[in-house]
Amino acid sequence: MQVKKITIPDITRRKQQGPPISSLTAYDYPWARLVDQAGIDIILVGDSLGMVVLGYNGTVTVTMEEMLHHSKAVARGVERALIITDMPFGSYNASHREAISNATRLVKEGGADAVKLEGGTEMAKVAAAIVTAGIPVQGHVGLTPQTATSLGGFKVQGRDARAAKKLYDDALAMEEAGCFSVVLEAIPAPLAAHITKKLSIPTIGIGAGSQCDGQVLVMHDLLGLYDRFTPKFVKQYAKLSRLSLEALTVYKNEVEERRFPADEHSFAMKEEELVQLLKALGE
Ligand code: KIV
């Protein structure tokens, strides 16, 4: 049966009609298939890829080519979910022309339905230029990992009234720029609730409390696959690192003890063929 693909209007309608929007990252074909089969609305090919898949210390070093490579793999595995691919650091801040050209590549070559970029008021014109070029944009304000160093590290943002008002203005600027939704990362829940009430586009929270119009998490955090650092806002729904390590160790031991492969994993040969073979081999 043909599955109906989720569209941007489907996502924006959910602000009024609910239920809350579910979003999760995926970076390759098998996991994208599973996330899609679970019925998650938005798959984000996040540049968190750099940390949880490629082993970098942050997201700044992630390149356009890496984002394209993983976005393509995800697109091959998805039938229903909306695919949003992150614009990596340096791909949208030099000029509008370059930003549009890179966003276009993520859609045309990477199979993305929309792109996401980090930044508030200062990035509003770039977001507007990409939207005008016909590409849906998701904004991302609050803790923006690509500029975490300037923000003082991976810290909650907008804790005092002045900083909170700046984030409120940032989110509004992204709406005015034409973004179809905005990610609110690591900000106090009451601030996220006020922003959500004010905006007419859906807010997608990560560490922003329960009042956002949707939630997003990094899949490797949710599944317990990334153990270098787990933020406070992550709920681990499984411990796949531990399970995987147990399975890998059992495999290693079974190989060493010749318990794998067993007969059911091996191919037999007709007795008479074997006899002929042995004859031919002179054994
Ligand atoms: O890159 C990413 O995974 C993200 C989410 C944390 C929102 O931007």
Side-chain angles (χ1 to χ4, degrees):
M1 199 180 67
Q2 185 83 22
V3 177
K4 187 185 171 297
K5 173 95 180 163
I6 295 195
T7 64
I8 302 284
D10 291 333
I11 295 297
T12 46
R13 252 195 312 274
R14 297 273 286 276
K15 171 120 191 154
Q16 308 304 334
Q17 298 176 3
I21 300 154
S22 54
S23 179
L24 190 64
T25 65
Y27 315 96
D28 62 20
Y29 173 81
W31 285 106
R33 270 173 63 91
L34 283 176
V35 175
D36 199 36
Q37 283 164 23
I40 287 171
D41 301 307
I42 300 177
I43 296 187
L44 172 66
V45 188
D47 61 354
S48 49
L49 156 76
M51 297 172 81
V52 300
V53 173
L54 302 178
Y56 299 148
N57 284 328
T59 57
V60 169
T61 39
V62 176
T63 64
M64 268 298 292
E65 297 315 315
E66 285 165 341
M67 291 311 300
L68 281 167
H69 180 75
H70 288 269
S71 190
K72 283 179 196 178
V74 166
R76 287 192 284 267
V78 171
E79 289 183 49
R80 175 182 173 272
L82 188 85
I83 302 172
I84 303 180
T85 300
D86 255 338
M87 298 200 68
F89 182 68
S91 70
Y92 56 96
N93 49 7
S95 69
H96 291 186
R97 196 187 171 88
E98 206 180 326
I100 292 169
S101 149
N102 283 324
T104 305
R105 284 192 74 196
L106 293 175
V107 171
K108 281 184 82 160
E109 297 171 44
D113 300 304
V115 299
K116 174 163 84 59
L117 56 83
E118 296 183 6
T121 318
E122 69 289 354
M123 282 297 156
K125 285 201 173 121
V126 179
I130 299 171
V131 172
T132 305
I135 297 169
V137 177
Q138 181 176 64
H140 182 161
V141 306
L143 172 56
T144 44
Q146 292 176 6
T147 43
T149 312
S150 323
L151 300 175
F154 286 80
K155 282 187 185 161
V156 179
Q157 301 295 306
R159 275 198 192 272
D160 63 64
R162 216 168 125 236
K165 174 66 168 64
K166 158 91 173 84
L167 289 181
Y168 186 92
D169 292 341
D170 282 342
L172 262 176
M174 292 318 263
E175 167 165 303
E176 278 159 21
C179 291
F180 73 95
S181 75
V182 62
V183 168
L184 305 177
E185 178 163 356
I187 66 172
L191 170 61
H194 278 287
I195 294 174
T196 300
K197 215 160 126 195
K198 175 72 178 169
L199 296 192
S200 55
I201 56 171
T203 59
I204 310 291
I206 172 164
S210 63
Q211 297 308 302
C212 296
D213 299 303
Q215 298 292 329
V216 61
L217 278 178
V218 169
M219 187 182 61
H220 287 56
D221 289 339
L222 179 156
L223 293 177
L225 269 169
Y226 183 72
D227 52 11
R228 275 175 77 179
F229 170 65
T230 307
K232 169 186 158 68
F233 55 71
V234 166
K235 178 170 175 185
Q236 253 186 20
Y237 287 81
K239 296 201 184 301
L240 289 198
S241 269
R242 204 188 56 202
L243 265 180
S244 306
L245 188 58
E246 279 169 16
L248 299 173
T249 310
V250 171
Y251 165 71
K252 176 222 176 239
N253 291 339
E254 289 197 356
V255 168
E256 287 183 0
E257 292 158 12
R258 291 198 190 282
R259 285 196 288 131
F260 176 83
D263 283 350
E264 68 262 35
H265 312 116
S266 307
F267 301 102
M269 199 174 169
K270 280 190 183 143
E271 191 57 35
E272 62 264 31
E273 298 298 337
L274 187 56
V275 169
Q276 283 205 30
L277 171 67
L278 293 180
K279 231 192 249 164
L281 296 177
E283 288 179 14

